[in-house]
Amino acid sequence: MDIRINLNRLKEDIESLSQIGRDPNGGITRPSFSRADLEAREWLKEKIKAVGLSLRQDGAGNIFGRTDGEGKTIMAGSHIDTVINGGMFDGSVGVLSALECLRRIKEEELEVSKPLEVAAFTDEEGNLVGDFLGSRAFLGQVKREILEKGITQFGTPFEKILEGTEFTYDTIMSAHEHRPDIEAFLEIHIEQGPVLETENKPIGIVDCIAGKNYRWCSFLGRTSHAGTTPLELRHDAFLGLADFALKSTQHVATKHYGNMVTVGKIDVMPGAFNIVPGQADFSFEFRSTSKETLEELEKYFLALAEDIASTRGLKFTSKILDKTDPVNTSPRIIDLIKEECQKLGYPSIVLPSGAGHDSQVIASIAEVGMIFIPSIDGISHSPLEQIKWEDLEKGANLLLQVIMRLAT
Ligand code: GLV
Ligand code: MN
Ligand code: MN
């Protein structure tokens, strides 16, 4: 079918959404339920209405736009929330490309036999209470105690973040829908890594999305005088953390290369120039496309932390914040994307995704397919996140063809 997306219009959409939530420290900070996110939601809802789709927002803040009709549905989308100081493409590309595809299909009055739906899921980035709050709530995979007890990135209770919005724990729990009609979910996303650029390919076809285990951990020691406490008598919590961060990274680099481990946020207390730190709290996450590797790493890291604690006279505690399994995308959709790439003359490779995506959640009820376009210098979760617009044009055209194949 010879139909193409309108790149200028898609570019304009991405650029205008990127104006919402500009961070004075650089990039875009638009976590779900923030003032910027509420503004972005209104912007997106107007766009969906202008396309002539029926608009719906559920109790978790997921936004949907749907064509008329009942029965097996082809859904496409992603998220519009961002990380702190993030870029303008992570998530937005998926939602706005899907919207552009539906807009083109409606403009051309193309015949499709299945309803089409665009989705923007809440808090994909996990800034609040674990990753994928919106898509998980949509599928009934959120436990209420996670909402009540979860630690947000901002140190603010989740309840406080919801204040002044139309959302509550009750509305979030009410977002659960029974949707056996969703036949397939498609997500186009920036790669967020360097593989496509290195391989000089404009398109990546994702076969597997990595699982992740993430925790909030502490080494507890004893504060003491920095001028008088001999090194061997210290119970320095920061050194426990430093030792752990280095040894865990070294272990992955030497024994499990290709998998990921990150200490991303640290709080050292009391945090004074002249006091040996008595407490070091930190986030710790590791990822793999193999469930067995995740399980092996979990055991190894917990034993390593205990060992470091006992050597250094510290106590180690850790609380699991979230755990996801690796997920395979649909082989049928992979084949279909490959075929459409060939027809369009777009070079492609099949690759795994190290980053998490709503697709991995939706995979529990529907076939999912993911298209990657290159990230310049492999950079993402950064204000420096960039793409080549011609790559987006290819990716969005491919998405359009795949939607048409699945829906006709
Ligand atoms: C989400 O972007 C993640 O951290 O994988
Ligand atoms: Mn994303
Ligand atoms: Mn992200």
Side-chain angles (χ1 to χ4, degrees):
M1 189 150 315
D2 207 14
I3 171 180
R4 297 289 181 267
I5 58 107
N6 178 335
L7 178 65
N8 284 338
R9 190 166 57 183
L10 175 55
K11 184 174 172 210
E12 231 173 74
D13 280 354
I14 291 176
E15 283 174 341
S16 58
L17 178 56
S18 81
Q19 296 310 311
I20 308 175
R22 286 273 154 196
D23 188 326
N25 296 320
I28 303 162
T29 296
R30 200 171 58 224
S32 289
F33 306 128
S34 63
R35 211 175 269 253
D37 172 65
L38 299 181
E39 187 184 335
R41 284 167 185 285
E42 293 315 308
W43 178 91
L44 179 62
K45 287 181 201 168
E46 288 310 313
K47 286 277 164 194
I48 288 175
K49 281 194 266 178
V51 172
L53 301 169
S54 61
L55 168 74
R56 197 165 55 83
Q57 177 176 261
D58 70 16
N62 299 315
I63 295 172
F64 303 96
R66 186 178 163 94
T67 58
D68 296 334
E70 303 284 308
K72 287 287 178 195
T73 298
I74 307 304
M75 186 182 260
S78 192
H79 60 98
I80 60 165
D81 64 303
T82 72
V83 292
I84 298 157
N85 307 125
M88 63 191 261
F89 300 101
D90 178 0
S92 300
V93 156
V95 174
L96 297 175
S97 299
L99 188 64
E100 171 61 17
C101 290
L102 269 52
R103 187 158 48 194
R104 289 294 293 129
I105 291 168
K106 281 184 77 77
E107 273 171 353
E108 298 292 328
E109 297 177 357
L110 295 179
E111 284 280 325
V112 285
S113 57
K114 296 171 193 168
L116 306 175
E117 197 164 338
V118 55
F121 291 110
T122 297
D123 194 29
E124 187 273 347
E125 297 291 4
N127 287 306
L128 301 172
V129 285
D131 290 345
F132 320 122
L133 174 66
S135 48
R136 280 173 159 172
F138 176 58
L139 298 189
Q141 295 174 5
V142 169
K143 291 203 181 87
R144 200 184 165 93
E145 56 263 38
I146 301 279
L147 306 180
E148 286 166 353
K149 293 196 196 128
I151 302 169
T152 70
Q153 291 243 25
F154 312 105
T156 322
F158 188 32
E159 205 165 20
K160 194 121 194 96
I161 287 173
L162 292 176
E163 260 174 30
T165 73
E166 64 195 279
F167 306 102
T168 63
Y169 295 164
D170 285 340
T171 67
I172 293 171
M173 295 308 292
S174 78
H176 180 192
E177 282 178 25
H178 184 56
R179 290 290 304 269
D181 61 298
I182 302 174
E183 176 182 317
F185 178 75
L186 301 169
E187 185 170 9
I188 174 171
H189 205 282
I190 52 168
E191 182 204 338
Q192 308 184 272
V195 178
L196 293 176
E197 193 178 66
T198 311
E199 301 278 330
N200 197 22
K201 297 280 195 292
I203 298 294
I205 307 170
V206 176
D207 59 352
C208 176
I209 305 171
K212 163 171 149 183
N213 182 318
Y214 81 94
R215 304 167 167 268
W216 187 242
C217 308
S218 303
F219 279 106
L220 305 167
R222 196 167 66 207
T223 54
S224 57
H225 195 295
T228 60
T229 319
L231 299 186
E232 71 279 13
L233 295 185
R234 295 183 178 197
H235 300 268
D236 186 329
F238 170 70
L239 287 184
L241 158 57
D243 200 5
F244 179 67
L246 277 175
K247 285 185 172 141
S248 55
T249 304
Q250 211 162 29
H251 178 72
V252 171
T254 53
K255 302 279 192 312
H256 295 279
Y257 185 73
N259 298 285
M260 299 295 164
V261 56
T262 306
V263 171
K265 179 173 165 69
I266 66 174
D267 292 326
V268 175
M269 278 147 300
F273 287 8
N274 53 3
I275 303 176
V276 175
Q279 183 166 345
D281 298 340
F282 60 103
S283 67
F284 182 69
E285 62 144 85
F286 49 100
R287 307 188 189 207
S288 175
T289 51
S290 151
K291 190 166 169 13
E292 294 69 43
T293 305
L294 282 173
E295 281 163 3
E296 200 181 316
L297 286 176
E298 181 173 35
K299 278 196 209 114
Y300 181 87
F301 291 143
L302 291 175
L304 173 67
E306 289 301 342
D307 188 45
I308 288 171
S310 91
T311 310
R312 294 182 171 275
L314 306 169
K315 189 169 172 313
F316 174 75
T317 63
S318 116
K319 178 175 172 220
I320 186 117
L321 296 181
D322 204 359
K323 213 171 179 172
T324 52
D325 285 337
V327 164
N328 291 327
T329 59
S330 152
R332 175 178 78 115
I333 298 181
I334 292 177
D335 286 345
L336 215 138
I337 301 175
K338 280 185 189 164
E339 279 172 36
E340 292 306 317
C341 270
Q342 261 177 358
K343 285 190 209 157
L344 290 163
Y346 299 161
S348 67
I349 48 166
V350 174
L351 79 176
S353 170
H357 300 287
D358 290 306
S359 287
Q360 74 195 79
V361 178
I362 308 299
S364 64
I365 60 147
E367 285 184 90
V368 299
M370 282 201 79
I371 297 168
F372 273 176
I373 57 167
S375 295
I376 294 182
D377 294 332
I379 296 175
S380 183
H381 283 190
S382 154
L384 300 178
E385 192 174 270
Q386 264 307 335
I387 60 164
K388 286 192 194 140
W389 292 106
E390 66 257 35
D391 290 338
L392 175 63
E393 185 172 26
K394 291 189 177 75
N397 275 330
L398 180 61
L399 177 69
L400 178 54
Q401 298 306 317
V402 177
I403 291 175
M404 289 303 295
R405 281 282 299 275
L406 287 168
T408 16

